[in-house]
């Protein structure tokens, strides 16, 4: 596994048949730290040059959450560091580019809740299979952020603009079984069936016509890549500006102080 020996905040495992498993490993919620964010982006880039990998499965450690997204304590640290804030959003852009330029199938095994960036990763995957009790949400607005890390692109593509606006403007969660019914993810199953469904599909693809599967995956993603390239700079700008707002500061401090935020619209 020397090719991925820089991964200290993710587990990297080969399951045979050309399946590479990347496990976000920051329990209990697998919230993203800067190092984990960087490691995932690098791993997705490196997979394209990994001759031993045909399919990637992305999952989270434990059974509580796939990923809760951003770390609120890290948001607190960034409140008075505008340069580092902007750099973090630029790194988010790099991760999205890596996701859409991945040449091999990416399957998300959604072992628990997928929130914020966790939801974005799941929805940008080629296939997503979730445990039925998981909740999926993009609550950027709840912490005073614009949904600029990809949510504004992928949610409307999957469930239409009207539904997407409702969930992105409110941050309301969706139960996995409801998400599957509306086409946001592929399937929601009991935990006892999750491995057989997710890894079963991984094995099926790994044993298929690799060249044809890879090029089909890339063809399907071409429109998304073009749309992302056309909007990502504006989206990153919107999120960076919202990070400087009074409402974002209030949301972060209210969460830390365990009280309801009092937004002013500034």
């Amino acid at each position: 596994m020397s090719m991925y020996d820089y991964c200290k905040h993710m587990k990297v495992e080969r399951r045979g048949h050309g399946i590479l498993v990347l496990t976000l490993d920051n329990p209990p919620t697998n919230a993203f730290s800067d190092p984990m964010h960087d490691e995932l982006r690098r791993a997705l880039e490196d997979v394209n040059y990994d001759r031993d990998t045909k399919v990637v499965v992305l999952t989270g450690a434990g059974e509580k959450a796939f990923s809760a997204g951003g770390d609120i304590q890290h948001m607190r640290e960034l409140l008075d560091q505008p340069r580092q804030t902007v750099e973090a959003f630029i790194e988010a852009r790099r991760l999205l580019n890596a996701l859409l330029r991945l040449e091999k199938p990416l399957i998300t095994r959604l072992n628990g809740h997928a929130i914020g960036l966790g939801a974005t990763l799941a929805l940008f995957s080629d296939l997503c299979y979730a445990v039925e009790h998981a909740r999926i949400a993009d609550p950027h607005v709840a912490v005073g952020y614009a949904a600029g890390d990809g949510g504004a692109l992928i949610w409307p593509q999957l469930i239409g603009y009207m539904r997407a606006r409702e969930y992105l403007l409110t941050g309301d969660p969706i139960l996995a079984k409801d998400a599957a019914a509306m086409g946001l993810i592929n399937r929601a199953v009991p935990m006892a069936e999750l491995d057989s469904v997710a890894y079963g599909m991984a094995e099926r693809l790994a044993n298929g016509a690799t060249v044809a599967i890879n090029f089909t995956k890339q063809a399907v993603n071409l429109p998304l890549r073009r749309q992302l390239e056309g909007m990502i700079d504006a989206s990153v700008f919107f999120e960076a500006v919202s990070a400087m707002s009074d409402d974002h500061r209030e949301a972060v401090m209210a969460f830390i102080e365990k009280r309801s935020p009092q937004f002013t619209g500034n």
Side-chain angles (χ1 to χ4, degrees), residues 15 109 187 189-202:
R15 286 180 63 98
R109 174 188 175 273
R187 291 177 61 187
V189 299
M191 178 60 83
E193 299 177 20
L194 185 60
D195 280 355
S196 63
V197 170
Y199 291 120
M201 179 57 73

Side-chain angles (χ1 to χ4, degrees), residues 46-118:
D46 288 346
V47 164
N48 289 332
Y49 305 98
D50 181 356
R51 293 178 178 272
D52 296 323
T53 293
K54 293 183 177 181
V55 179
V56 180
V57 176
L58 179 63
T59 190
E63 297 185 0
K64 180 175 183 179
F66 166 69
S67 175
D71 186 322
I72 199 74
Q73 293 296 336
H74 186 49
M75 293 180 194
R76 172 66 184 89
E77 295 169 3
L78 292 177
L79 285 177
D80 299 309
Q81 301 181 58
R83 179 173 179 175
Q84 287 85 344
T85 298
V86 172
E87 288 174 351
F89 292 132
I90 292 173
E91 179 59 27
R93 173 186 176 177
R94 295 191 184 107
L95 177 56
L96 288 173
N97 282 326
L99 276 168
L100 287 179
R101 291 180 181 276
L102 178 62
E103 298 171 0
K104 303 170 185 182
L106 174 64
I107 298 172
T108 294
R109 174 188 175 273
L110 209 65
N111 57 298
H113 305 317
I115 310 298
L117 178 56

Side-chain angles (χ1 to χ4, degrees), residues 190-263:
M191 178 60 83
E193 299 177 20
L194 185 60
D195 280 355
S196 63
V197 170
Y199 291 120
M201 179 57 73
E203 290 181 8
R204 179 178 177 181
L205 295 180
N207 291 317
T210 299
V211 174
I213 288 171
N214 288 357
F215 279 128
T216 299
K217 171 246 167 75
Q218 292 173 59
V220 171
N221 276 349
L222 273 176
L224 280 176
R225 283 176 55 180
R226 290 172 178 168
Q227 289 185 61
L228 180 72
E229 290 166 359
M231 69 179 287
I232 191 61
D233 288 334
S235 293
V236 169
F237 172 76
F238 294 154
E239 191 163 4
V241 171
S242 67
M244 311 299 173
S245 69
D246 293 340
D247 281 346
H248 170 59
R249 180 180 292 271
E250 169 62 11
V252 171
M253 297 310 299
F255 186 92
I256 291 172
E257 296 167 4
K258 296 180 173 56
R259 59 177 176 80
S260 298
Q262 301 296 316
F263 294 127

Side-chain angles (χ1 to χ4, degrees), residues 96 99-100 106 108 114 116-128 136-138 140 147-165 167-168 174 179 182-186 220-229 231-232 235:
L96 288 173
L99 276 168
L100 287 179
L106 174 64
T108 294
L117 178 56
T120 298
L121 289 172
L123 302 186
F124 269 101
S125 299
D126 299 304
L127 299 168
C128 180
I136 303 168
D138 192 331
H140 274 69
D149 68 353
L153 170 60
I154 197 62
W155 284 68
Q157 294 293 323
L158 296 174
I159 60 174
Y161 279 88
M162 283 298 183
R163 277 181 170 170
R165 288 189 190 108
Y167 288 111
L168 292 174
I174 309 174
M182 69 175 67
L184 192 66
I185 62 173
N186 292 93
V220 171
N221 276 349
L222 273 176
L224 280 176
R225 283 176 55 180
R226 290 172 178 168
Q227 289 185 61
L228 180 72
E229 290 166 359
M231 69 179 287
I232 191 61
S235 293

